[in-house]
Amino acid sequence: MNFKHKYVFLFPGLFVLIGILIFPIIFTIRLSLSGWNSYTPEMNFIGITNYIRLFTDDPRFWESFFRLSFLSVTTVILQYIIGFALALIVWREIKFKRFFRVIFLIPMMTTPVIMTVIWRTFFHESLGPVNDLLGNLGVKPILWLSDPVIAKFTVIIVEVWQWTPFMFLLLLAGLLSLPKEPFLAAAIDGASPFRKFVYVTFPLMAPISIGAIIIRLIEASKIMDTVFVLTSGGPGTATETSSFYIYIKGLREFQMGYAATLSFTYLVIMIISLTIIAKVLTKLMIKE
């Protein structure tokens, strides 16, 4: 077969790549340079006017971005700690470990929007069972969805409950793939369980941990459905994330050109941020 003919087999994949990745990005860039909105229903060219507006006259976007950073980093850290702990428990020889593996995955297998509606019912401040239970214990009702600070932690609770099983699944798969020889050597040397974890398990799991953390950070940085259903960005803008703010500008106010500017800027920031985070985690967790 002629070497050039091999490229023919690459064309289907190339067309798919162009269709689902390259073209939308190019179209978003072009749209960000237009003034398309509800008053100007055409993609007229206005240059970098939207970008100037973003960097000089839209503090709400940057507030939503830093709020998103707090929510995503906090949820991923908690998911990693809890997921690793659950994976270590099931990794050991315990009774009914197959049963527990299935039970721990149930939250991830439920529909996020439906479960968020249920969580919103749980946290209802006058009718929800959470405050009823706290009242029976002598605790005053908590404003789960009305207090700006507590509402953030309510979102974190729902996200951690929903996606910790994903972290648990990745880390358990990593634990099951670890070689047995280092653990046998540590046992011969009389290492305690804590020292085995610190000097054997954790270092061996470092590459898998980094991958799991980055994957979850990518997903957590797109928090939208939980915020939309649970708090609608409220109270005020206390739980408004970048994705939700872009949704407001694009699909509520129909400022399509400006929403495209927000989307592309957000994409660039996230690519740079995640690249830096991956390098830092690699330097901290993987010892040469």
Side-chain angles (χ1 to χ4, degrees), residues 79-287:
Q79 289 166 13
Y80 177 72
I81 294 173
I82 299 172
F84 209 155
L86 294 176
L88 287 171
I89 292 172
V90 177
W91 181 45
R92 303 298 179 184
E93 292 298 329
I94 61 172
K95 293 182 178 180
F96 309 113
K97 67 177 182 180
R98 292 181 182 272
F99 171 76
F100 285 118
R101 288 180 185 180
V102 175
I103 290 296
F104 292 156
L105 294 177
I106 287 178
M108 188 179 68
M109 295 187 289
T110 57
T111 305
V113 172
I114 294 176
M115 289 311 304
T116 305
V117 172
I118 296 174
W119 276 105
R120 187 178 64 183
T121 304
F122 285 164
F123 287 119
H124 195 282
E125 291 154 11
S126 58
L127 303 175
V130 176
N131 274 347
D132 285 344
L133 178 61
L134 293 176
N136 293 331
L137 298 175
V139 180
K140 293 182 178 180
I142 298 175
L143 303 178
W144 295 103
L145 303 176
S146 301
D147 184 273
V149 176
I150 297 177
K152 292 185 181 69
F153 290 97
T154 304
V155 174
I156 290 172
I157 290 171
V158 177
E159 280 289 305
V160 169
W161 182 87
Q162 182 80 48
W163 295 112
T164 295
F166 180 78
M167 189 73 78
F168 159 76
L169 189 63
L170 292 180
L171 295 174
L172 178 60
L175 288 170
L176 293 174
S177 67
L178 294 181
K180 296 181 180 180
E181 289 78 9
F183 297 97
L184 294 175
I188 293 172
D189 291 339
S192 65
F194 177 76
R195 294 179 67 87
K196 285 182 183 178
F197 174 78
V198 173
Y199 295 106
V200 180
T201 306
F202 189 76
L204 290 176
M205 284 290 294
I208 299 169
S209 296
I210 293 171
I213 291 171
I214 295 300
I215 291 173
R216 274 306 303 145
L217 278 175
I218 293 172
E219 292 300 315
S221 67
K222 299 182 290 185
I223 296 176
M224 169 66 184
D225 45 6
T226 301
V227 171
F228 180 83
V229 176
L230 192 65
T231 63
S232 294
T237 59
T239 58
E240 187 177 84
T241 61
S242 300
S243 301
F244 191 74
Y245 180 61
I246 294 170
Y247 158 77
I248 291 175
K249 288 298 180 183
L251 298 180
R252 285 190 181 177
E253 301 178 3
F254 208 74
Q255 299 182 38
M256 298 302 294
Y258 188 59
T261 302
L262 298 177
S263 299
F264 183 69
T265 303
Y266 170 73
L267 174 64
V268 173
I269 293 174
M270 291 310 302
I271 290 174
I272 295 174
S273 300
L274 290 170
T275 302
I276 294 174
I277 291 172
K279 289 184 177 296
V280 171
L281 288 176
T282 302
K283 187 175 182 179
L284 293 176
M285 298 177 69
I286 299 180
K287 304 298 182 181

Side-chain angles (χ1 to χ4, degrees), residues 23-62:
F23 173 75
I25 292 177
I26 294 175
F27 182 77
T28 300
I29 295 173
R30 171 62 184 91
L31 185 58
S32 70
L33 301 175
S34 74
W36 183 12
N37 54 38
S38 56
Y39 303 102
T40 310
E42 57 186 22
M43 209 158 40
N44 57 321
F45 183 78
I46 61 172
I48 61 172
T49 302
N50 286 329
Y51 289 93
I52 294 174
R53 173 187 171 187
L54 170 61
F55 286 97
T56 61
D57 194 32
D58 192 2
R60 184 173 169 181
F61 172 77
W62 301 107

